[in-house]
Amino acid sequence: MAFQKAVKGTILVGGGALASVLGLSQFAHYRRKQVNLAYVQAAECVSEPVNREPPSREAQLLSLQNTAEFDILVIGGGATGCGCALDAVTRGLKTALVERDDFSSGTSSRSTKLIHGGVRYLQKAIMKLDIEQYRMVKEALHERANLLEIAPHLSAPLPIMLPVYKWWQLPYYWVGIKLYDLVAGSNCLKSSYVLSKSRALEHFPMLQKDKLVGAIVYYDGQHNDARMNLAIALTAARYGAATANYMEVVSLLKKTDPHTGKERVSGARCKDVLTGQEFDVRAKCVINATGPFTDTVRKMDDKNAAAICQPSAGVHIVMPGYYSPESMGLLDPATSDGRVIFFLPWQKMTIAGTTDTPTDITHHPIPSEEDINFILNEVQ
């Protein structure tokens, strides 16, 4: 009916006058193009950050205090929490994020700096015919390639040398590493290869020369996790998320759901660690992204909640840069207790580790003398 009126010359809101000039079929084609253009323009608007410069912490605190209710409140400013916040705010949700310390002050900055599928996991998958381990390696290798593609300024391929001390181990490790390349498929960074004894000693002169047979070199990725985490947090803030560090959650807010009659979490009571000021941040949904402190937040909701997180501590020690060349790492799969030790170049130094032992949750974990001595003994 509208198009009929348009053809007769009636002026309609949204293109009727033009329809009277172009005719019905031409107008319909024009409108389709116009609608497609509108969709493109809308998409461009969504992808454009709200803030050209990240807002100040004071501005973020005002946003947290003055917003009546957020769609999502994320507790924890590590890689997971910041990733959730960025994902939510770019979907158009009103998002808040609070972190008790610096962004990436915990697990997200204390890693081995490797992005890898896990050579040892693949070995377990083959030996035990474990399909889940295999799928985990496959997915991790895919994500390795993804991270190297989207953040080349923070990630790079890193060759890692695996020394071999027995002749029969050379074909054994070679087959395993080639399978690692095969599982990576099109995401394989670079094909692995064998090094002679003399070439291996050129890269790592401190290796035991008498027993060394040769070495195998394969490729994994190295990644600056702390800077990546911070970049995600800043991007979320630029898109409009209210993000604030040094904001501690002291309790959870609750309200009764009118549909079910049950209490549900509706936000959090937050404390500014720097000033001591407390205020409520209300949200329709609260995400617990606190890593090893997961159970602490869960018990704010239900004091009788059973613990679901078993924390463990991994220790690295920082050694002088001459323990590894700038462009190659070392993997020792034959430690005294079966754990893997890495020597990895990082910012002109060498990272050696890691251990993996059960521990109690503390805000500032300290490495034990036992873990430090274990790494030093393996290094020797």
Side-chain angles (χ1 to χ4, degrees):
M1 186 65 180
F3 279 120
Q4 289 175 354
K5 290 181 179 179
V7 172
K8 292 176 182 178
T10 305
I11 298 176
L12 302 176
V13 175
L18 187 60
S20 65
V21 177
L22 295 177
L24 181 59
S25 60
Q26 287 179 300
F27 173 68
H29 175 69
Y30 171 82
R31 286 296 290 162
R32 281 197 298 271
K33 290 179 65 178
Q34 199 174 41
V35 168
N36 289 337
L37 181 61
Y39 276 124
V40 171
Q41 290 174 340
E44 289 176 349
C45 290
V46 170
S47 63
E48 183 68 23
V50 176
N51 306 296
R52 287 293 180 181
E53 295 294 332
S56 66
R57 184 173 183 272
E58 289 73 18
Q60 301 284 47
L61 292 179
L62 286 174
S63 179
L64 286 172
Q65 295 178 62
N66 298 332
T67 302
E69 185 181 49
F70 289 94
D71 293 317
I72 287 179
L73 168 63
V74 182
I75 306 174
T80 302
C82 291
C84 289
L86 178 58
D87 186 279
V89 74
T90 52
R91 293 175 187 270
L93 298 174
K94 195 178 296 183
T95 306
L97 181 145
V98 292
E99 160 60 37
R100 180 180 53 202
D101 209 320
D102 281 320
F103 293 112
S104 190
S105 61
T107 308
S108 299
S109 63
R110 303 182 183 186
S111 72
T112 312
K113 311 301 179 186
L114 281 179
I115 41 175
H116 62 104
V119 175
R120 180 57 64 91
Y121 299 136
L122 181 60
Q123 181 188 26
K124 291 180 180 178
I126 295 172
M127 293 296 186
K128 299 180 180 180
L129 300 178
D130 189 338
I131 188 64
E132 292 303 321
Q133 288 267 14
Y134 171 79
R135 287 172 179 167
M136 182 183 70
V137 173
K138 185 81 173 176
E139 181 182 6
L141 289 171
H142 171 75
E143 291 301 326
R144 180 189 71 179
N146 181 50
L147 200 53
L148 286 166
E149 180 181 358
I150 65 174
H153 60 301
L154 300 176
S155 312
L158 177 71
I160 299 176
M161 192 176 84
L162 194 159
V164 179
Y165 290 98
K166 296 180 181 178
W167 281 106
W168 67 267
Q169 289 180 336
L170 195 59
Y172 174 77
Y173 285 139
W174 184 84
V175 170
I177 294 299
K178 283 300 178 183
L179 284 174
Y180 190 61
D181 292 346
L182 185 63
V183 172
S186 60
N187 295 325
C188 181
L189 301 179
K190 202 170 181 180
S191 182
S192 55
Y193 58 91
V194 176
L195 276 181
S196 65
K197 176 180 177 178
S198 60
R199 290 296 305 277
L201 290 172
E202 285 180 15
H203 290 290
F204 288 90
M206 75 289 294
L207 290 174
Q208 296 179 5
K209 301 177 182 179
D210 298 337
K211 299 180 181 179
L212 187 67
V213 171
I216 298 172
V217 177
Y218 70 97
Y219 284 79
D220 259 328
Q222 194 168 36
H223 178 62
N224 193 327
D225 52 354
R227 280 190 60 192
M228 184 69 169
N229 192 162
L230 186 58
I232 294 172
L234 289 170
T235 306
R238 289 186 62 202
Y239 274 96
T243 61
N245 56 0
Y246 293 98
M247 290 297 299
E248 182 179 6
V249 171
V250 295
S251 63
L252 296 177
L253 306 178
K254 293 186 178 182
K255 69 178 182 180
T256 303
D257 192 320
H259 301 292
T260 63
K262 296 181 179 180
E263 277 193 334
R264 67 177 182 85
V265 176
S266 60
R269 180 76 174 175
C270 298
K271 176 182 178 181
D272 187 338
V273 177
L274 301 181
T275 64
Q277 180 188 9
E278 293 188 11
F279 54 87
D280 293 339
V281 179
R282 300 196 175 274
K284 298 174 184 176
C285 171
V286 176
I287 296 177
N288 179 4
T290 55
F293 301 96
T294 294
D295 289 326
T296 304
V297 176
R298 291 178 63 246
K299 290 182 184 294
M300 291 181 184
D301 176 35
D302 180 5
K303 293 181 180 179
N304 300 319
I308 60 173
C309 180
Q310 172 57 62
S312 64
V315 174
H316 303 83
I317 61 174
V318 180
M319 305 171 65
Y322 56 73
Y323 273 93
S324 65
E326 290 187 10
S327 58
M328 182 175 287
L330 178 73
L331 165 65
D332 178 13
T335 60
S336 57
D337 64 354
R339 285 182 287 189
V340 172
I341 289 288
F342 286 98
F343 293 80
L344 301 171
W346 185 252
Q347 297 182 354
K348 307 299 182 180
M349 303 295 283
T350 298
I351 296 177
T354 178
T355 61
D356 186 17
T357 53
T359 186
D360 296 325
I361 298 176
T362 59
H363 294 316
H364 300 287
I366 299 174
S368 67
E369 284 293 326
E370 183 181 356
D371 284 339
I372 294 174
N373 289 331
F374 168 78
I375 296 174
L376 291 175
N377 289 334
E378 295 301 329
V379 167
Q380 289 177 357

